[in-house]
Amino acid sequence: MNESNMGLEKLIPDNEMERLLALSELDLDFMDLNKNLSDLTKLAAKIAGTQVSLINLIDHFTQWSVSSFGLDITQMPREDTVCQYVIVDPNIQDFEVQDLAKDERFKDKFYVKEDPSLRYYYGVPLRVNERVSLGALCVMDTDFKELSPEKKEMLGIIAKEVVNRFKIYKAVDGLQKRVHESQQIKNRVAHDIRGPLGGIIGLAEIIQMQGDQNKLDEVLEFINLIQKSGKSLLELADEILSQDYGSPKTIQPRKPSDGEFTLNTLKDKLISMFDPQALIKNISLTVNVEAPNAEVPFPKNKILQILGNLISNSLKFTPKEGKVSVKLDYKIFENEQTLLLEVADTGTGMTSEKIEEILALQGKSTQGTMGESGYGFGLNLVQHLIQSLKGKVTIQSSPGGGTKFEVSIPFH
C-alpha cells in the first residue's frame, strides 16, 4: 500500500457493501459517541506522545470523527482522508506516514498545507472481524515521531477496545429498548386489570353492605356486572399470553427514550450533521417538520443511516447555490404509524435507467458536482435498509431536473 499514486478505484475495499452494512447494523449516532470514547482517544495520544488522536468511522461518503483529542473536527470528505488507506485492505494491520508533506497522496491536503500543518500519521483499523473495518484509530502530530513496536501494539489494543465499546453501546441500547417496552407493558397490565377488578370488588361490597335488604333482581344485576368484569379479566389474561400484547392501542404523548427520535429531535440531529457539508458547497439545506405529531416518539432504528445517505447524496450531486430540502412527517391512524421522509434537491438528476439500477440494488459509482468521489454504494445501502424495515422508496428524477426521494417506513 505504499504506491504514491494509488487510484480511487483501489481505495474502495472489495467488500465495501459488507463493510457499510456492518456499520449500519451498529446503528451508531456519530454525533453522540464522544462522551463514551473520549478516554480512549486521550489514552491513545498519551501512549503515542502525539498532539492529536482521532477515532474515525468511514461511511460511503464521509469520515466521521466520533471522538477527538487535540483537534476540533467532526467530519471530512472521505477522499481527503488518510484513514481511507487503513480500511482498503483486510490484510493491513497498520498504516504509517512519516511526513505527510513529502507524500504525493497527502501533501496538498488542507490539514497539511494549512493549520494545523500535520506531518506524522499512524493509524490502525477498527475491525469488527478479520475482513471488515469500520474506520480507524489514528494518532497525528506536527512533528516527526517514531513509535516503538510496544506502543504500536498498545494502540492496536485500544482499537479493539473501541470496537468493543461500539458493540456494548449497541447491546445497551437494545436492552434499554426492551426495558422501556417491558415498563410500558407492566404499566398497561396494571391499568387494564385495575378497572375490572375494582368493579368486582365494588359490587361485592355493595351486596355485602346491603345484606338482607338486597332484592333478588338487584342481586342478579350485580352478579351480571361481576360476570362481565370477570370475563374482561379473562380476555385480558388471554391477550397478555398472546404475542400481540403491548402493541399500543393509541399513541400517548410521552418523552422519547434513548432509543427513539421525535421529528424535532431528528431535525436537530440532521442540521448539526449536514450543515457543515452544505456550507462548504454553498448549498441551502432546509429541514422541515410537519407539526401535528412532531413530538411523538418513534424508534431510531436505521433512520439516521437512511436519511444521512440520502442527504449526503443530494449534497454531492447539487451544484453551488443549489437547494436540498428535507421534509419529515409521522402519520398516525388507529394502530398504524408511518414515518414519511422526503429528500429533494436541485441537482444534476438521474436517468430512468439509473433509477432502475438503484431500485434493483445495482447502482454504480459516479462523481459529484465538485469532483467528489462517487463510491456507488450509498443508495444501494439506503434501498437495503428501507427493505429491511418493510418500507418503500420512490424516486422522481430527470437529467438536469433534480431528484426527489420519498420514503415510507411503517411502525406497528
Side-chain angles (χ1 to χ4, degrees):
M1 311 306 296
N2 293 322
E3 299 91 334
S4 60
N5 293 305
M6 180 178 290
L8 171 63
E9 67 281 356
K10 294 182 180 179
L11 293 180
I12 304 174
D14 292 337
N15 62 339
E16 177 69 354
M17 191 63 182
E18 181 185 359
R19 196 188 68 79
L20 292 175
L21 286 172
L23 184 58
S24 70
E25 274 303 308
L26 288 172
D27 206 12
L28 300 169
D29 185 339
F30 297 152
M31 307 297 285
D32 195 37
L33 289 173
N34 186 56
K35 59 186 177 183
N36 295 315
L37 299 170
S38 59
D39 59 328
L40 296 181
T41 46
K42 184 176 181 179
L43 178 61
K46 295 300 180 184
I47 288 174
T50 56
Q51 299 166 342
V52 176
S53 174
L54 302 174
I55 294 174
N56 295 322
L57 295 177
I58 301 176
D59 66 16
H60 79 287
F61 183 60
T62 305
Q63 173 179 281
W64 300 93
S65 296
V66 297
S67 185
S68 61
F69 176 83
L71 183 64
D72 186 16
I73 187 170
T74 58
Q75 57 181 276
M76 185 188 299
R78 176 173 173 171
E79 62 267 22
D80 286 338
T81 69
V82 186
C83 286
Q84 63 180 323
Y85 288 82
V86 181
I87 68 170
V88 69
D89 188 337
N91 295 317
I92 292 178
Q93 299 302 316
D94 59 9
F95 184 78
E96 187 173 31
V97 181
Q98 298 289 352
D99 191 343
L100 295 167
K102 294 182 179 179
D103 193 302
E104 291 293 325
R105 296 167 293 185
F106 312 116
K107 67 177 185 178
D108 294 324
K109 301 299 183 184
F110 66 90
Y111 48 85
V112 177
K113 293 181 66 176
E114 304 166 14
D115 186 62
S117 302
L118 294 172
R119 293 295 179 265
Y120 178 75
Y121 173 94
Y122 179 79
V124 289
L126 300 173
R127 285 205 175 101
V128 290
N129 56 47
E130 291 182 356
R131 282 180 43 81
V132 176
S133 297
L134 305 177
L137 165 70
C138 69
V139 293
M140 294 177 287
D141 206 280
T142 56
D143 295 319
F144 170 77
K145 294 290 178 181
E146 185 173 357
L147 299 186
S148 67
E150 291 79 16
K151 287 185 176 182
K152 291 180 178 180
E153 183 178 358
M154 292 175 72
L155 291 173
I157 293 172
I158 293 176
K160 291 178 181 178
E161 176 58 22
V162 170
V163 176
N164 286 337
R165 294 274 181 99
F166 291 152
K167 293 177 179 178
I168 291 170
Y169 187 88
K170 175 65 174 175
V172 169
D173 185 56
L175 288 173
Q176 287 177 335
K177 289 178 184 177
R178 291 186 182 183
V179 169
H180 181 72
E181 290 168 359
S182 298
Q183 184 65 40
Q184 285 186 306
I185 292 173
K186 185 182 77 172
N187 291 342
R188 185 181 163 197
V189 169
H191 177 271
D192 290 351
I193 288 178
R194 187 181 296 275
L197 193 57
I200 291 172
I201 294 172
L203 290 169
E205 287 177 346
I206 292 174
I207 294 173
Q208 185 180 30
M209 284 189 298
Q210 291 184 354
D212 294 338
Q213 297 179 8
N214 286 309
K215 296 179 181 180
L216 180 59
D217 57 344
E218 290 179 343
V219 172
L220 289 175
E221 185 179 351
F222 288 154
I223 291 173
N224 184 47
L225 291 172
I226 290 172
Q227 186 182 32
K228 287 182 178 178
S229 294
K231 185 178 179 182
S232 69
L233 277 175
L234 285 174
E235 290 174 349
L236 176 61
D238 288 338
E239 187 182 357
I240 292 172
L241 292 172
S242 75
Q243 294 186 2
D244 295 330
Y245 190 79
S247 299
K249 296 292 188 292
T250 58
I251 302 298
Q252 299 295 332
R254 59 177 175 80
K255 292 183 178 180
S257 68
D258 289 340
E260 294 176 314
F261 282 128
T262 65
L263 295 182
N264 285 332
T265 58
L266 179 58
K267 173 184 175 179
D268 292 342
K269 183 70 67 175
L270 293 174
I271 290 173
S272 67
M273 290 178 70
F274 295 102
D275 250 4
Q277 294 182 23
L279 287 171
I280 288 174
K281 291 191 69 174
N282 193 21
I283 291 173
S284 170
L285 172 63
T286 58
V287 182
N288 297 310
V289 167
E290 295 297 324
N293 299 310
E295 289 299 323
V296 176
F298 55 87
K300 286 183 177 181
N301 190 21
K302 307 294 189 299
I303 303 305
L304 207 54
Q305 281 71 26
I306 291 170
L307 276 171
N309 279 281
L310 289 177
I311 294 171
S312 287
N313 187 78
S314 287
L315 291 171
K316 171 180 167 184
F317 289 104
T318 298
K320 286 185 175 182
E321 300 183 358
K323 296 181 180 179
V324 174
S325 62
V326 181
K327 293 182 181 179
L328 310 175
D329 196 5
Y330 194 54
K331 298 292 187 183
I332 300 173
F333 181 74
E334 294 183 351
N335 291 339
E336 296 182 0
Q337 302 95 50
T338 304
L339 181 64
L340 301 175
L341 313 172
E342 180 184 300
V343 179
D345 62 58
T346 59
T348 55
M350 295 183 285
T351 63
S352 57
E353 290 80 12
K354 181 66 175 178
I355 293 173
E356 290 176 6
E357 286 179 3
I358 293 168
L359 296 177
L361 298 174
Q362 296 174 350
K364 296 179 176 63
S365 175
T366 51
Q367 284 196 327
T369 57
M370 290 180 63
E372 303 100 326
S373 303
Y375 291 87
F377 296 94
L379 296 181
N380 289 357
L381 177 63
V382 167
Q383 174 73 328
H384 177 90
L385 294 176
I386 292 171
Q387 289 179 355
S388 72
L389 297 175
K390 311 298 182 186
K392 296 179 180 179
V393 60
T394 59
I395 306 174
Q396 301 174 33
S397 187
S398 61
T403 301
K404 179 192 290 185
F405 293 90
E406 295 178 320
V407 177
S408 64
I409 298 172
F411 295 108
H412 302 289

